[in-house]
Amino acid sequence: MTELRELYQEMILDHGKRPRNFRAQDDAESAAGHNPLCGDRVTVYVRTEDGVIRDVSFQGSGCAISTASASLMTEALSGKTVEEARALFRRFHELVAAEGDEQGLGKLEVFKGVRDFPMRVKCATLAWHTLCAALDHEKDLVTTE
Ligand code: FES
């Protein structure tokens, strides 16, 4: 395994064990997501002001990949506009689905290895799909199946 891969794996394990922004928000939009294949569940909370994301957080239970993905997502989105957030998700999805590169993705690049495990693409994108539902004020449970 290359040093870079080890570093990526370490960061995923760290965020999986000690997720950042792991909290509910009373005054935020929220949506719930579920991956029925794995059983992972996540609730994403997002507070926007004039089209800018002021606070984003999550709670849930799941594997290292879905938890780390939610954690790194919250870090990546703070201060971004809603449109920038949607664009970042498109790029992130392209990265993990092997349809794009890591240019401009910052720390989210650590999920590049997911492209070798197509079954895990939904694990890595669960929080992002759920974020989009929260931004779109969708009340139905988001499911990856
Ligand atoms: Fe965690 Fe798939 S194993 S969402």
Side-chain angles (χ1 to χ4, degrees):
M1 189 185 291
T2 66
E3 266 176 43
L4 195 60
R5 273 193 103 141
E6 272 173 29
L7 190 75
Y8 286 175
Q9 206 167 52
E10 252 171 52
M11 199 187 290
I12 290 173
L13 289 175
D14 175 42
H15 277 261
K17 271 193 211 139
R18 298 187 308 115
R20 320 306 196 259
N21 300 304
F22 190 83
R23 57 189 157 77
Q25 295 183 60
D26 287 339
D27 55 346
E29 290 290 340
S30 66
H34 180 218
N35 184 340
L37 274 186
C38 317
D40 291 31
R41 290 183 180 276
V42 68
T43 301
V44 174
Y45 304 87
V46 60
R47 197 165 53 76
T48 61
E49 238 175 60
D50 300 326
V52 176
I53 294 176
R54 294 297 178 202
D55 198 4
V56 55
S57 62
F58 78 104
Q59 284 190 318
S61 60
C63 62
I65 289 198
S66 72
T67 305
S69 175
S71 175
L72 281 153
M73 176 189 81
T74 63
E75 285 195 334
L77 292 183
S78 192
K80 293 247 184 318
T81 67
V82 170
E83 286 322 305
E84 286 169 341
R86 292 185 200 277
L88 197 58
F89 176 34
R90 277 193 295 277
R91 297 283 332 283
F92 179 71
H93 195 280
E94 286 168 4
L95 176 77
V96 294
E99 292 164 2
D101 61 26
E102 60 272 31
Q103 289 294 316
L105 282 171
K107 280 189 195 172
L108 297 174
E109 184 185 338
V110 300
F111 291 96
K112 190 174 174 184
V114 169
R115 57 176 54 193
D116 296 330
F117 305 93
M119 287 290 290
R120 308 306 294 273
V121 170
K122 288 176 179 170
C123 310
T125 54
L126 175 64
W128 288 90
H129 284 294
T130 310
L131 167 87
C132 289
L135 290 172
D136 292 337
H137 316 292
E138 282 175 21
K139 291 297 165 210
D140 292 343
L141 180 71
V142 178
T143 168
T144 54
E145 294 306 308

